[in-house]
Amino acid sequence: MNPGNPFGHPKARSAVVLLDGENVCLIERNRRGRIYYLFPGGGVEADETHEQAAIREAKEELGLDVELGRIVVDLVHNGARQVFYLARIVGGEFGTGTGPEMDSDAGSIRGSYTPLWLPLRVAAKRDTRPLELVEALLDPEWAKDGVITFEKR
């Protein structure tokens, strides 16, 4: 069952893809002794669109105001739609996110959330999810107009 979703249905998610030259913005998660990296984002609430969720999550997790560009990933994972938007920073201060998850530490059930910038080539060698997106971002031809679509369990 999905926490925060009493019906047990998988929850739709939205995320932002922020690039600064060869660097990508990620959330480093340390959960139960495992370190992995995610694109900033989270669940779409009942009263919001995927776009609104991506903008809200960027503010909560990063402290940044963003403007969304095109969709770069539109996938289904465990029955739930996940959408990733290219975005650009239009305001705010990196690292000042105030979402409830930002107070979580590595020893808690939720684990820790640490925003950071990593070189794409480094992110490609770590447990970054979805790795397919990092690999695509390294390909200049794909980056022009490619969209990743797939379904995985």
Side-chain angles (χ1 to χ4, degrees):
M1 191 155 157
N2 190 335
N5 184 344
F7 304 109
H9 301 295
K11 191 169 191 176
R13 298 178 59 77
S14 285
V16 294
V17 178
L18 292 167
L19 299 169
D20 182 9
E22 296 296 313
N23 298 315
V24 62
C25 180
L26 297 168
I27 300 292
E28 180 183 81
R29 296 289 314 274
N30 185 339
R31 188 172 183 200
R32 298 185 181 132
R34 288 186 34 230
I35 295 176
Y36 57 99
Y37 301 84
L38 301 172
F39 288 85
V44 177
E45 302 299 331
D47 62 341
E48 66 184 355
T49 65
H50 274 88
E51 293 88 351
Q52 291 167 327
I55 291 167
R56 175 182 51 76
E57 288 287 347
K59 187 68 169 178
E60 287 180 4
E61 293 187 353
L62 305 172
L64 297 175
D65 300 311
V66 298
E67 180 178 276
L68 300 183
R70 67 183 176 87
I71 293 173
V72 289
V73 176
D74 192 342
L75 64 89
V76 175
H77 180 66
N78 289 332
R81 185 173 180 215
Q82 296 186 12
V83 181
F84 294 69
Y85 297 89
L86 273 182
R88 77 181 180 88
I89 300 168
V90 295
E93 184 180 338
F94 184 80
T96 62
T98 58
E101 65 272 27
M102 303 315 292
D103 289 333
S104 184
D105 64 40
S108 73
I109 281 226
R110 294 181 83 168
S112 65
Y113 292 68
T114 306
L116 48 75
W117 292 92
L118 270 184
L120 279 165
R121 295 196 186 289
V122 172
K125 293 179 179 154
R126 298 204 180 158
D127 185 3
T128 305
R129 303 170 188 176
L131 187 56
E132 297 90 344
L133 175 53
V134 176
E135 291 169 343
L137 291 169
L138 284 165
D139 177 354
E141 287 304 308
W142 179 88
K144 289 178 187 170
D145 60 6
V147 178
I148 298 172
T149 58
F150 60 91
E151 185 163 345
K152 65 193 241 183
R153 296 189 146 272

